[in-house]
Amino acid sequence: MILFSTNETLVLNHQKHVMKEKQLLYMNTTALAFLGDAVFETYVRDHLIHTMKGDADRLHRAAVELVKAEAQAYAVKQILPSLTEEELGLVKRARNKKISTKPKNADPVDYKWATAFEALIGYLYLSGNIDRMKEIIKAAMESVKRSDD
């Protein structure tokens, strides 16, 4: 269950669903990315609601700039040096997984990197490592914002 709070933080309450790290390291990376995509987008939307003024259209456009494959690919490359050995291994495994569908609006290489980023977020969420997940999301969002300046 996902709960929202003020002060730009997303509180994730899912103790019943925390999985063992070893189990997660070998989980299908596309399944991890499936969850990571939702968690990241929810975190971004919560952040924007608390930091921007505007209607839903303006908020949506701002969210798209942060969650699109190109931005996620850029962000994950920027944070690679700060990843642990396990996190880096997971990112590489997810990035190298053969994709069965063609991305609609993204370069295939960016799409693979973005999927790797989402898999990392999904992994951290399911492992219950929420502080680390938020640290990586924050660093990713900051790197994308810096690249836009």
Side-chain angles (χ1 to χ4, degrees):
M1 172 172 24
I2 300 175
L3 302 171
F4 301 96
S5 70
T6 58
N7 300 327
E8 305 173 32
T9 55
L10 184 65
V11 177
L12 300 153
N13 180 8
H14 64 289
Q15 293 299 359
K16 296 178 196 172
H17 304 292
V18 172
M19 297 173 75
K20 293 179 181 172
E21 287 190 40
K22 286 215 185 256
Q23 183 183 8
L24 288 169
L25 285 173
Y26 298 102
M27 188 174 186
N28 184 312
T29 55
T30 55
L32 291 172
F34 170 77
L35 179 61
D37 175 55
V39 170
F40 182 60
E41 177 134 5
T42 302
Y43 190 95
V44 166
R45 287 176 179 229
D46 183 66
H47 170 77
L48 292 174
I49 275 288
H50 288 97
T51 60
M52 282 182 67
K53 293 190 187 314
D55 61 10
D57 183 58
R58 182 169 179 239
L59 291 166
H60 173 73
R61 282 180 296 182
V64 167
E65 288 303 309
L66 291 168
V67 302
K68 65 185 178 182
E70 180 184 355
Q72 290 180 1
Y74 177 82
V76 75
K77 290 174 194 174
Q78 299 306 304
I79 64 168
L80 282 177
S82 68
L83 298 180
T84 66
E85 190 175 316
E86 290 84 14
E87 292 166 348
L88 185 58
L90 178 79
V91 165
K92 287 180 178 179
R93 189 165 62 92
R95 181 201 61 201
N96 293 335
K97 184 166 176 72
K98 183 176 171 136
I99 53 175
S100 57
T101 59
K102 289 186 178 183
K104 295 177 199 159
N105 299 315
D107 173 79
V109 174
D110 283 346
Y111 182 81
K112 289 181 98 171
W113 277 105
T115 300
F117 174 75
E118 292 169 348
L120 175 61
I121 299 303
Y123 163 78
L124 292 169
Y125 177 81
L126 286 175
S127 68
N129 200 344
I130 303 308
D131 289 338
R132 178 67 172 150
M133 182 193 77
K134 291 196 295 188
E135 177 185 322
I136 286 175
I137 289 173
K138 182 179 178 188
M141 290 172 52
E142 288 173 354
S143 72
V144 171
K145 287 179 183 177
R146 277 193 309 269
S147 74
D148 289 341
D149 294 341

